[in-house]
Amino acid sequence: MAGTVLLIEDEESIGALVRAYLERDGYRVAWARSGEEGLAELSRRPVRLVVLDIGLPGIDGFEVCARIRATSRLPVIMLTARDEEADRVAGLEVGADDYVRKPFSPRELMARVKAVLRRTEALPGEAPLAVGDVILHPAEHEVEVAGAPVELTAREFDLLAYLMASPGVVRSRETLLERVWGMDYPGGTRTVDVHVAQVRKKLGHPGFIRTVRGAGYKVARS
Ligand code: CA
């Protein structure tokens, strides 16, 4: 069962098209025409992913995304109409997992839906991950090193969680970008290097995430 996608879109023609494609791929679709209606829908049924338009009557998509993020990590793909909207989503100010720029092809959107689900659901479950003296608690979104809490951003946390889920396995920059970011950044794989450097610094363990020359990064087995 592919599960339910919550579609929040006020334009009938776009909404009908997106719904048809989602249903064709086996998803059940709950279609809300406003942000308020969409948020109400979320409290009514389990939803696997949200496709969220930015321009909506009442509260806009940015606000809807912020409210979803205040309580959950439910995957969100945003539909943007203008460059400035796309920039805000790409800048991750709102915590969306990915975005698609209008006009988009339904095929492109469906590819994004699959990629986001693959990436977000590949992240570890609720059980803590421990490697050496680093312990990561997915449910609480907390990391501790030798018993002391370490503050990571959401993206840094996901990156570390992904690497810690498979100690000893080398992940290429491209794989990390796809699995942890799920979209093409202007900075490309350089983004990964910057985040790895940040995580190393915050953990205070320069060697915890190892660079494997020509291959990528790994967390050493403890
Ligand atoms: Ca709209």
Side-chain angles (χ1 to χ4, degrees), residues 9-11 53-56 102:
E9 167 64 84
D10 60 315
E11 283 160 71
D53 187 31
I54 290 176
L56 293 166
K102 290 180 184 177

Side-chain angles (χ1 to χ4, degrees), residues 127-144:
L129 300 171
V131 177
D133 61 0
V134 179
I135 302 175
L136 182 141
H137 304 274
E140 295 83 4
H141 226 251
E142 286 169 4
V143 176
E144 51 182 291

